[in-house]
Amino acid sequence: MDNENVKKSKRAYREKHASISITVSKEVKEMVDAAAAASGKSKAQYIVDLILQDNNKN
């Protein structure tokens, strides 16, 4: 069981960050998995980088 300090840390993290969920076809997931692995990034970081890159182009 978490002590009070751990609970406070987890709460602070959740309040500071947001989460999103997307549903894609298996083919798209496989492409993202492969591209993330090739870039040496996690899938989440790869997707975030793509979004940031797209927003900087506009």
Side-chain angles (χ1 to χ4, degrees):
M1 183 145 201
D2 294 338
N3 65 30
E4 221 30 61
N5 288 335
V6 173
K7 288 179 185 178
K8 286 180 184 179
S9 294
K10 287 181 179 181
R11 188 176 329 115
Y13 180 86
R14 285 192 311 268
E15 289 173 357
K16 195 173 188 181
H17 296 84
S19 64
I20 60 172
S21 175
I22 59 171
T23 303
V24 297
S25 67
K26 289 182 181 181
E27 292 82 16
V28 171
K29 181 187 178 306
E30 290 170 2
M31 289 189 310
V32 170
D33 290 348
S39 69
K41 299 177 182 178
S42 68
K43 288 181 274 187
Q45 188 60 55
Y46 182 79
I47 293 168
V48 168
D49 288 349
L50 287 176
I51 293 167
L52 293 172
Q53 202 173 47
D54 185 60
N55 283 330
N56 289 333
K57 288 182 181 178
N58 295 327

Coordinates of all heavy atoms in Angstrom, one line a residue:
M1 N 0.8 -1.2 0.0 CA 0.0 0.0 0.0 C 0.9 1.2 0.0 O 1.9 1.3 0.7 CB -0.9 0.0 1.2 CG -1.9 1.1 1.3 SD -3.4 0.5 2.1 CE -4.5 1.7 1.5
D2 N 0.5 2.2 -0.8 CA 1.3 3.5 -0.9 C 1.1 4.3 0.3 O 0.1 4.4 0.9 CB 0.8 4.3 -2.1 CG 1.0 3.6 -3.4 OD1 1.9 2.7 -3.5 OD2 0.3 3.9 -4.4
N3 N 2.3 4.9 0.7 CA 2.2 5.9 1.8 C 1.7 7.2 1.3 O 1.5 7.4 0.2 CB 3.6 6.0 2.5 CG 4.6 6.6 1.7 OD1 4.3 7.4 0.8 ND2 5.9 6.2 1.9
E4 N 1.5 8.1 2.2 CA 0.9 9.4 1.9 C 1.7 10.2 0.9 O 1.2 10.9 0.0 CB 0.8 10.2 3.2 CG -0.5 11.0 3.4 CD -1.8 10.5 2.8 OE1 -2.2 9.4 3.1 OE2 -2.3 11.2 2.0
N5 N 3.1 10.2 1.0 CA 3.9 10.9 0.0 C 3.8 10.4 -1.4 O 3.8 11.1 -2.3 CB 5.4 10.9 0.5 CG 5.6 11.7 1.7 OD1 4.9 12.7 2.0 ND2 6.7 11.4 2.4
V6 N 3.7 9.1 -1.5 CA 3.5 8.5 -2.8 C 2.2 8.8 -3.4 O 2.1 9.2 -4.6 CB 3.7 6.9 -2.8 CG1 3.4 6.3 -4.1 CG2 5.1 6.6 -2.3
K7 N 1.2 8.8 -2.6 CA -0.2 9.2 -3.1 C -0.2 10.7 -3.5 O -0.8 11.0 -4.6 CB -1.2 9.0 -2.0 CG -1.5 7.6 -1.7 CD -2.6 7.5 -0.5 CE -2.8 6.1 -0.1 NZ -3.8 6.0 1.0
K8 N 0.5 11.5 -2.8 CA 0.5 13.0 -3.2 C 1.3 13.1 -4.5 O 0.9 13.9 -5.4 CB 1.2 13.8 -2.1 CG 0.4 14.0 -0.9 CD 1.1 14.8 0.2 CE 0.2 15.0 1.4 NZ 0.9 15.8 2.4
S9 N 2.4 12.4 -4.7 CA 3.2 12.4 -5.9 C 2.3 12.0 -7.1 O 2.4 12.6 -8.2 CB 4.4 11.6 -5.8 OG 5.3 12.1 -4.8
K10 N 1.6 10.9 -6.9 CA 0.8 10.3 -8.0 C -0.3 11.3 -8.4 O -0.6 11.6 -9.6 CB 0.2 9.0 -7.6 CG 1.2 7.9 -7.6 CD 0.6 6.5 -7.3 CE 1.6 5.4 -7.3 NZ 1.0 4.1 -6.9
R11 N -0.9 11.9 -7.4 CA -2.0 12.9 -7.6 C -1.5 14.1 -8.3 O -2.1 14.6 -9.3 CB -2.6 13.3 -6.3 CG -3.9 14.1 -6.5 CD -4.6 14.5 -5.2 NE -4.5 13.5 -4.1 CZ -3.9 13.6 -3.0 NH1 -3.3 14.8 -2.7 NH2 -3.8 12.7 -2.1
A12 N -0.3 14.6 -7.9 CA 0.3 15.8 -8.6 C 0.6 15.5 -10.0 O 0.4 16.3 -10.9 CB 1.6 16.2 -7.8
Y13 N 1.1 14.3 -10.3 CA 1.4 13.9 -11.7 C 0.2 13.8 -12.5 O 0.1 14.4 -13.6 CB 2.1 12.5 -11.7 CG 2.5 12.0 -13.1 CD1 3.7 12.4 -13.7 CD2 1.6 11.2 -13.8 CE1 4.0 12.0 -15.0 CE2 1.9 10.8 -15.1 CZ 3.1 11.2 -15.7 OH 3.4 10.8 -16.9
R14 N -0.9 13.2 -12.0 CA -2.2 13.1 -12.8 C -2.8 14.5 -13.0 O -3.4 14.7 -14.1 CB -3.1 12.3 -12.0 CG -2.9 10.8 -12.1 CD -4.0 9.9 -11.6 NE -4.5 10.3 -10.3 CZ -4.1 9.9 -9.1 NH1 -3.2 9.0 -9.1 NH2 -4.7 10.3 -8.0
E15 N -2.6 15.4 -12.1 CA -3.1 16.8 -12.2 C -2.3 17.6 -13.3 O -2.9 18.5 -13.9 CB -3.2 17.5 -10.9 CG -4.2 16.9 -10.0 CD -4.2 17.5 -8.6 OE1 -3.3 18.4 -8.3 OE2 -5.0 17.2 -7.8
K16 N -1.1 17.3 -13.4 CA -0.2 18.0 -14.3 C -0.2 17.5 -15.7 O 0.0 18.2 -16.7 CB 1.2 17.9 -13.8 CG 2.2 18.9 -14.4 CD 3.5 18.9 -13.6 CE 4.4 20.0 -14.1 NZ 5.7 19.9 -13.4
H17 N -0.6 16.2 -15.9 CA -0.5 15.5 -17.2 C -1.9 15.1 -17.6 O -2.8 14.8 -16.8 CB 0.4 14.3 -17.2 CG 1.8 14.7 -16.9 ND1 2.3 14.9 -15.7 CD2 2.8 14.9 -17.8 CE1 3.6 15.2 -15.8 NE2 3.9 15.3 -17.0
A18 N -2.1 14.9 -18.9 CA -3.4 14.4 -19.4 C -3.1 13.2 -20.2 O -2.0 12.9 -20.7 CB -4.0 15.5 -20.4
S19 N -4.1 12.3 -20.4 CA -4.0 11.1 -21.1 C -5.0 11.1 -22.3 O -6.1 11.7 -22.1 CB -4.1 9.9 -20.3 OG -5.4 9.8 -19.8
I20 N -4.6 10.5 -23.4 CA -5.6 10.4 -24.5 C -5.6 8.9 -24.9 O -4.6 8.2 -24.6 CB -5.2 11.2 -25.7 CG1 -3.8 10.9 -26.2 CG2 -5.3 12.7 -25.3 CD1 -3.5 11.6 -27.5
S21 N -6.6 8.5 -25.5 CA -6.7 7.1 -26.0 C -7.2 7.2 -27.5 O -8.2 8.0 -27.8 CB -7.7 6.4 -25.2 OG -7.9 5.1 -25.7
I22 N -6.6 6.4 -28.3 CA -7.1 6.4 -29.7 C -7.3 4.9 -30.1 O -6.7 4.0 -29.6 CB -6.1 7.0 -30.7 CG1 -4.7 6.3 -30.6 CG2 -5.9 8.5 -30.4 CD1 -3.7 6.8 -31.7
T23 N -8.2 4.8 -31.0 CA -8.5 3.4 -31.6 C -8.2 3.4 -33.0 O -8.6 4.3 -33.8 CB -10.0 3.1 -31.4 OG1 -10.3 3.2 -30.0 CG2 -10.3 1.7 -31.9
V24 N -7.3 2.5 -33.4 CA -6.9 2.4 -34.8 C -7.0 1.0 -35.3 O -7.1 0.1 -34.5 CB -5.4 2.9 -35.0 CG1 -5.3 4.4 -34.7 CG2 -4.5 2.1 -34.2
S25 N -6.9 0.8 -36.6 CA -6.9 -0.6 -37.1 C -5.6 -1.3 -36.7 O -4.6 -0.6 -36.4 CB -7.0 -0.5 -38.7 OG -5.8 0.0 -39.2
K26 N -5.6 -2.6 -36.8 CA -4.4 -3.3 -36.5 C -3.2 -3.0 -37.4 O -2.1 -3.0 -36.9 CB -4.7 -4.8 -36.5 CG -5.6 -5.3 -35.4 CD -5.9 -6.8 -35.4 CE -6.8 -7.2 -34.3 NZ -7.0 -8.6 -34.3
E27 N -3.6 -2.7 -38.6 CA -2.5 -2.3 -39.6 C -1.8 -1.1 -39.2 O -0.6 -1.0 -39.2 CB -3.1 -2.2 -41.0 CG -3.6 -3.5 -41.6 CD -5.0 -3.9 -41.1 OE1 -5.7 -3.1 -40.6 OE2 -5.3 -5.1 -41.3
V28 N -2.6 -0.1 -38.8 CA -2.0 1.2 -38.3 C -1.2 1.0 -37.1 O -0.1 1.5 -36.9 CB -3.1 2.3 -38.1 CG1 -2.5 3.5 -37.5 CG2 -3.8 2.6 -39.5
K29 N -1.7 0.2 -36.1 CA -1.0 0.0 -34.9 C 0.4 -0.7 -35.2 O 1.4 -0.3 -34.6 CB -1.8 -0.9 -34.0 CG -1.0 -1.2 -32.7 CD -1.7 -2.2 -31.8 CE -1.0 -2.5 -30.5 NZ 0.4 -3.0 -30.7
E30 N 0.4 -1.6 -36.1 CA 1.6 -2.3 -36.5 C 2.6 -1.3 -37.1 O 3.8 -1.4 -36.9 CB 1.3 -3.5 -37.5 CG 0.7 -4.6 -36.8 CD 0.2 -5.7 -37.8 OE1 0.4 -5.5 -39.0 OE2 -0.5 -6.7 -37.3
M31 N 2.1 -0.4 -37.9 CA 3.0 0.6 -38.5 C 3.6 1.5 -37.5 O 4.8 1.9 -37.5 CB 2.2 1.5 -39.6 CG 1.9 0.7 -40.8 SD 1.2 1.7 -42.2 CE -0.1 2.7 -41.4
V32 N 2.8 2.0 -36.5 CA 3.2 2.8 -35.4 C 4.3 2.0 -34.6 O 5.3 2.6 -34.2 CB 2.1 3.3 -34.6 CG1 2.6 4.0 -33.3 CG2 1.2 4.3 -35.4
D33 N 4.0 0.8 -34.3 CA 4.9 0.0 -33.5 C 6.3 -0.1 -34.2 O 7.3 0.1 -33.6 CB 4.4 -1.4 -33.3 CG 3.2 -1.5 -32.4 OD1 2.9 -0.5 -31.7 OD2 2.5 -2.6 -32.3
A34 N 6.2 -0.4 -35.5 CA 7.5 -0.5 -36.2 C 8.2 0.8 -36.3 O 9.5 0.8 -36.1 CB 7.2 -1.1 -37.6
A35 N 7.5 1.9 -36.6 CA 8.2 3.2 -36.7 C 8.8 3.6 -35.4 O 9.9 4.2 -35.4 CB 7.2 4.2 -37.3
A36 N 8.0 3.4 -34.3 CA 8.5 3.8 -33.0 C 9.8 3.0 -32.7 O 10.8 3.5 -32.2 CB 7.4 3.6 -31.9
A37 N 9.8 1.7 -32.9 CA 10.9 0.9 -32.6 C 12.1 1.3 -33.5 O 13.2 1.4 -33.0 CB 10.6 -0.6 -32.9
A38 N 11.9 1.6 -34.7 CA 13.0 2.0 -35.6 C 13.6 3.4 -35.2 O 14.8 3.6 -35.3 CB 12.5 2.1 -37.0
S39 N 12.8 4.2 -34.6 CA 13.3 5.5 -34.1 C 13.9 5.4 -32.7 O 14.4 6.4 -32.2 CB 12.1 6.5 -34.1 OG 11.2 6.3 -33.1
G40 N 13.7 4.3 -32.0 CA 14.2 4.2 -30.7 C 13.3 4.9 -29.6 O 13.8 5.2 -28.5
K41 N 12.1 5.2 -30.0 CA 11.2 5.9 -29.0 C 10.1 4.9 -28.6 O 9.8 3.9 -29.3 CB 10.6 7.1 -29.7 CG 11.6 8.1 -30.2 CD 10.9 9.2 -30.9 CE 11.9 10.2 -31.4 NZ 11.2 11.3 -32.2
S42 N 9.4 5.3 -27.5 CA 8.2 4.6 -27.1 C 7.1 5.0 -28.1 O 7.2 6.0 -28.8 CB 7.8 4.9 -25.7 OG 7.4 6.3 -25.7
K43 N 6.1 4.1 -28.2 CA 5.0 4.5 -29.1 C 4.3 5.8 -28.7 O 4.0 6.6 -29.6 CB 3.9 3.3 -29.0 CG 4.3 2.1 -29.7 CD 3.2 1.0 -29.6 CE 3.4 0.3 -28.3 NZ 2.5 -0.9 -28.2
A44 N 4.2 6.0 -27.4 CA 3.6 7.3 -26.9 C 4.4 8.5 -27.4 O 3.9 9.5 -27.9 CB 3.4 7.3 -25.4
Q45 N 5.7 8.4 -27.1 CA 6.6 9.5 -27.5 C 6.6 9.7 -29.0 O 6.7 10.8 -29.5 CB 8.0 9.3 -27.0 CG 8.9 10.5 -27.2 CD 8.3 11.7 -26.4 OE1 8.1 11.7 -25.2 NE2 8.2 12.8 -27.2
Y46 N 6.6 8.6 -29.8 CA 6.6 8.7 -31.2 C 5.4 9.5 -31.7 O 5.4 10.4 -32.5 CB 6.7 7.3 -31.8 CG 6.7 7.3 -33.3 CD1 7.9 7.6 -34.0 CD2 5.5 7.1 -34.1 CE1 7.9 7.6 -35.4 CE2 5.6 7.1 -35.5 CZ 6.7 7.4 -36.1 OH 6.8 7.4 -37.5
I47 N 4.2 9.1 -31.1 CA 2.9 9.8 -31.5 C 2.9 11.2 -31.1 O 2.6 12.1 -31.9 CB 1.7 9.0 -30.9 CG1 1.6 7.6 -31.6 CG2 0.4 9.8 -31.1 CD1 0.6 6.7 -30.9
V48 N 3.4 11.5 -29.9 CA 3.5 12.9 -29.4 C 4.4 13.7 -30.4 O 4.1 14.9 -30.8 CB 4.0 13.0 -28.0 CG1 4.4 14.4 -27.6 CG2 2.9 12.5 -27.0
D49 N 5.5 13.2 -30.8 CA 6.5 13.9 -31.7 C 5.8 14.1 -33.0 O 6.0 15.2 -33.6 CB 7.8 13.1 -31.8 CG 8.6 13.1 -30.6 OD1 8.4 13.9 -29.7 OD2 9.6 12.3 -30.6
L50 N 5.0 13.2 -33.5 CA 4.3 13.4 -34.8 C 3.3 14.5 -34.7 O 3.2 15.4 -35.6 CB 3.6 12.1 -35.2 CG 4.4 11.0 -35.7 CD1 3.5 9.8 -36.0 CD2 5.1 11.4 -37.0
I51 N 2.6 14.6 -33.6 CA 1.6 15.7 -33.4 C 2.3 17.0 -33.3 O 1.9 18.0 -33.9 CB 0.8 15.4 -32.1 CG1 -0.1 14.2 -32.3 CG2 -0.1 16.6 -31.7 CD1 -0.7 13.6 -31.0
L52 N 3.4 17.1 -32.5 CA 4.1 18.3 -32.4 C 4.7 18.8 -33.7 O 4.7 19.9 -34.1 CB 5.3 18.2 -31.3 CG 4.8 18.0 -29.9 CD1 6.0 17.7 -29.0 CD2 4.1 19.3 -29.4
Q53 N 5.2 17.8 -34.5 CA 5.8 18.1 -35.8 C 4.7 18.6 -36.7 O 4.9 19.6 -37.4 CB 6.4 16.8 -36.3 CG 7.4 16.9 -37.4 CD 8.0 15.6 -37.7 OE1 7.3 14.6 -37.9 NE2 9.3 15.5 -37.8
D54 N 3.5 18.0 -36.7 CA 2.4 18.5 -37.5 C 2.0 19.9 -37.2 O 1.7 20.7 -38.0 CB 1.3 17.5 -37.4 CG 0.2 17.8 -38.4 OD1 0.4 17.8 -39.6 OD2 -1.0 18.1 -37.9
N55 N 1.9 20.2 -35.9 CA 1.5 21.5 -35.5 C 2.5 22.6 -35.8 O 2.1 23.7 -36.1 CB 1.2 21.5 -34.0 CG -0.1 20.9 -33.6 OD1 -1.0 20.9 -34.4 ND2 -0.2 20.3 -32.5
N56 N 3.8 22.2 -35.9 CA 4.8 23.2 -36.2 C 4.8 23.5 -37.7 O 5.3 24.6 -38.1 CB 6.2 22.7 -35.7 CG 6.3 22.7 -34.2 OD1 5.7 23.5 -33.6 ND2 7.2 21.9 -33.7
K57 N 4.3 22.7 -38.5 CA 4.3 22.9 -40.0 C 3.2 23.9 -40.3 O 3.3 24.5 -41.3 CB 4.0 21.6 -40.7 CG 5.2 20.7 -40.7 CD 4.9 19.4 -41.5 CE 6.1 18.5 -41.5 NZ 5.8 17.2 -42.2
N58 N 2.1 24.0 -39.5 CA 1.0 24.9 -39.8 C 1.2 26.3 -39.4 O 1.8 26.7 -38.5 CB -0.3 24.3 -39.2 CG -0.6 23.0 -39.9 OD1 -0.4 22.8 -41.1 ND2 -1.2 22.1 -39.1

